Amino acid sequence: QKREISNFDYLMYLNTLAGRSYNDYMQYPVFPWVLADYHSETLNLTDPHTFRDLSKPMGAQTVERKQKFIQRFNEVEKSEGDLSAQCHYCTHYSSAIIVASYLVRMEPFTQTFCSLQGGSFDVADRMFHSVKSTWESASRDNMSDVRELTPEFFYLPEFLTNANHFELGCMQDGTVLGDVQLPPWANGDPHKFIFLHRQALESDYVSAHLHRWIDLIFGHKQHGSAAVEAVNTYHPYFYGDKMDLNNIKDPLIKGTILGFISNFGQIPKQV
């Protein structure tokens, strides 16, 4: 409100308070998608339609998708501690594999990604190759994709280029994976993309609406009835501070929960 701290710095501060850290891929700092326009030749930061709806999680960015997740929630009988527990999302917005896939073109993330994939790169069509197609997947097309972003999207152009010339494979349409495909308004320049993306994060529109996203990720809409109403509930195993692993005697169940969290992510501590 007083313009004494940037939105970026504020989000990093909240992430730190919530136990997120660059040192832990499973609890990496989480940042929001702030734009919805990845097709225009120029980026208009004065038009509200340019921006993502920050009051809704990624699973509720379109009416059709939101209804599908509500239907999923209503169809599952509540069975706490079971893999079919009642929730909107069985995948998460931040996990080790999401972080490593975004940053796969840079070490040490390249090796991390390969080790998480069993020693090699993923199928080329599933690799992070385009900002636009990743947004469309996470906001509209893929019911198992509700990913948000990492801080690097707002300051580090290097992760968008394949400077190490890794052989990332070839997509089904014949496209050889190299640098990340950028929106038209970036003119193929990673530095311009980062510059404009950071401008978007610090824009008046985002400044006026960012608290709504913070409510979803770090605040009162994170769990409970407010989360249900906001279409923002995740599998119980994702809520690390709600699962008392010390009281679970069965090593198989305990191992399953730990494996689930390490593979699929963890909700930040509620701030």
Side-chain angles (χ1 to χ4, degrees):
Q1 288 181 324
K2 294 182 179 179
R3 299 293 194 268
E4 290 175 0
I5 185 172
S6 68
N7 290 336
F8 183 91
D9 286 339
Y10 186 56
L11 286 172
M12 282 305 299
Y13 180 68
L14 288 176
N15 269 287
T16 304
L17 283 181
R20 313 297 282 190
S21 165
Y22 282 118
N23 299 323
D24 186 349
Y25 293 168
M26 291 182 284
Q27 296 190 80
Y28 208 77
V30 56
F31 269 59
W33 288 94
V34 292
L35 293 172
D37 182 354
Y38 297 97
H39 55 269
S40 297
E41 293 296 327
T42 55
L43 197 59
N44 183 358
L45 296 180
T46 60
D47 182 358
H49 293 104
T50 298
F51 298 92
R52 165 255 180 104
D53 187 341
L54 287 157
S55 69
K56 296 183 175 70
M58 289 304 290
Q61 290 295 309
T62 69
V63 177
E64 299 79 14
R65 187 165 150 104
K66 179 181 177 182
Q67 287 308 125
K68 284 179 184 174
F69 282 120
I70 291 173
Q71 184 181 349
R72 173 193 282 177
F73 182 89
N74 292 333
E75 282 174 355
V76 179
E77 289 297 317
K78 195 172 177 76
S79 50
E80 194 76 27
D82 184 8
L83 283 171
S84 61
Q86 188 176 37
C87 60
H88 293 109
Y89 314 115
C90 296
T91 54
H92 199 245
Y93 49 76
S94 176
S95 66
I97 195 66
I98 289 171
V99 171
S101 68
Y102 278 147
L103 306 174
V104 70
R105 289 164 178 78
M106 296 190 313
E107 291 290 14
F109 301 98
T110 315
Q111 292 304 316
T112 301
F113 182 84
C114 288
S115 64
L116 288 169
Q117 284 291 334
S120 61
F121 292 119
D122 198 359
V123 177
D125 286 83
R126 288 203 298 258
M127 297 278 285
F128 173 52
H129 66 277
S130 157
V131 178
K132 179 175 181 279
S133 66
T134 303
W135 159 254
E136 289 170 350
S137 171
S139 67
R140 189 186 71 199
D141 296 340
N142 187 345
M143 289 291 283
S144 62
D145 183 2
V146 292
R147 76 183 79 179
E148 294 278 7
L149 299 181
T150 63
E152 286 82 1
F153 276 83
F154 300 95
Y155 69 82
L156 191 70
E158 285 78 10
F159 87 95
L160 297 164
T161 60
N162 186 20
N164 293 315
H165 306 293
F166 292 119
E167 292 185 10
L168 302 171
C170 187
M171 295 172 66
Q172 285 183 346
D173 64 3
T175 305
V176 177
L177 257 59
D179 297 346
V180 176
Q181 293 169 14
L182 302 175
W185 46 259
N187 301 122
D189 182 351
H191 289 84
K192 185 173 183 181
F193 172 83
I194 295 293
F195 175 75
L196 291 173
H197 204 216
R198 182 64 173 265
Q199 272 197 321
L201 178 65
E202 305 300 341
S203 67
D204 288 341
Y205 179 90
V206 172
S207 297
H209 295 85
L210 188 58
H211 64 285
R212 298 185 181 279
W213 183 81
I214 290 167
D215 287 343
L216 296 167
I217 307 299
F218 303 106
H220 77 288
K221 292 183 180 177
Q222 193 191 72
H223 54 75
S225 57
V228 175
E229 198 175 319
V231 195
N232 192 43
T233 66
Y234 296 82
H235 193 282
Y237 289 173
F238 293 146
Y239 298 86
D241 54 346
K242 301 281 181 291
M243 302 293 300
D244 189 356
L245 292 171
N246 294 325
N247 288 336
I248 299 172
K249 300 291 182 257
D250 188 326
L252 192 63
I253 295 174
K254 196 170 185 175
T256 301
I257 294 172
L258 287 170
F260 203 87
I261 292 167
S262 64
N263 282 316
F264 296 110
Q266 203 169 344
I267 302 282
K269 291 193 183 98
Q270 192 173 29
V271 178

